[in-house]
Amino acid sequence: MYRGLVHVLAWSLATGAAVTLSWWGVHTVMAGTAYDPPRALPITAAGATTQEPRPQASSTHRPP
């Protein structure tokens, strides 16, 4: 039982260290690049509807 707990503890520590190092590395690389963070989408009014564009051509209908 004790041996199993030691293995679980060792695995947890190794996994935590790997995740921490990976996060730190990615964070450092992303902070050093010309990366623009995503902007929020505009919020439309509650009653506003958007007009769907009509398709330019239909694949099942031939133009006259």
Side-chain angles (χ1 to χ4, degrees), residues 44-50:
T44 58
T49 59
T50 58

Side-chain angles (χ1 to χ4, degrees), residues 13-36:
L13 289 174
T15 302
V19 168
T20 301
L21 287 173
S22 296
W23 177 87
W24 181 72
V26 170
H27 179 72
T28 302
V29 168
M30 294 301 284
T33 61
Y35 167 75
D36 294 329

